[in-house]
Amino acid sequence: MNQDKIARRLIKKKLVPLLEKDGFRGVFPDYKRFDDKVLHLLAFEFNKYGGSFFLELACVPRGDLEMSWGEVVLEQDLTVAHTNFESRARLQQNGRANSLIDDWFQYQNLSEPEIEKLVSGVADLLSQVNDWFVDGTVGKNICVS
């Protein structure tokens, strides 16, 4: 099994249940959590060449969203990809503002036990995701460029 498949399997096994426990719903790789006034959107984004990922976050007001070209996206269909960049943040290995691929969670050339350790480390950082959604706190692994 290649590293991309291993990473995706371990993310689904270890991270998705934690997100669901915290109120997120969806289908891999896109999740959302409904708050009274805002919608918390989260997506796992993978390097198109493989070997790394980050979590992209967005917070938008509840309701349908009208895109700049006039299309209306229903609230239940919204994903991070529908939001503007100013409303987004990323959880990554290194929270530097530039968010280079080198800052992402890297699993290229790692063994399965090493990938599992990496994914478990990401689980330990999920509190930063919740803090950003709840009160805008920018933790050391959050990039808001």
Side-chain angles (χ1 to χ4, degrees):
M1 186 177 285
N2 75 29
Q3 288 143 328
D4 290 317
K5 288 182 180 177
I6 292 169
R8 289 171 189 262
R9 178 176 52 80
L10 290 170
I11 288 168
K12 290 175 188 176
K13 179 182 175 183
K14 294 189 171 284
L15 297 181
V16 170
L18 295 173
L19 293 171
E20 290 173 341
K21 184 178 177 184
D22 203 25
F24 284 91
R25 300 291 175 255
V27 178
F28 188 80
D30 294 303
Y31 297 89
K32 60 181 61 93
R33 179 173 65 187
F34 297 88
D35 191 278
D36 289 341
K37 296 180 182 177
V38 295
L39 182 60
H40 299 160
L41 303 169
L42 181 147
F44 291 92
E45 299 289 344
F46 292 85
N47 183 336
K48 67 180 177 179
Y49 302 109
S52 62
F53 73 97
F54 63 90
L55 280 72
E56 189 150 35
L57 320 170
C59 190
V60 295
R62 292 288 307 265
D64 301 340
L65 182 66
E66 184 173 353
M67 307 306 290
S68 61
W69 56 90
E71 176 188 359
V72 175
V73 180
L74 300 177
E75 179 182 67
Q76 65 264 20
D77 297 328
L78 287 172
T79 66
V80 172
H82 294 108
T83 66
N84 62 43
F85 290 107
E86 294 79 28
S87 67
R88 297 184 194 183
R90 291 179 174 185
L91 178 72
Q92 53 192 31
Q93 186 71 40
N94 182 334
R96 292 187 296 209
N98 54 13
S99 189
L100 300 172
I101 290 174
D102 292 344
D103 295 333
W104 300 2
F105 299 104
Q106 303 284 330
Y107 56 83
Q108 187 171 349
N109 302 320
L110 297 181
S111 66
E112 185 166 347
E114 291 170 322
I115 296 172
E116 187 166 7
K117 183 177 178 181
L118 172 75
V119 171
S120 293
V122 175
D124 293 338
L125 303 175
L126 290 180
S127 63
Q128 291 183 49
V129 169
N130 195 57
D131 292 346
W132 184 80
F133 278 129
V134 171
D135 61 18
T137 300
V138 178
K140 72 176 195 155
N141 298 89
I142 299 285
C143 172
V144 290
S145 59

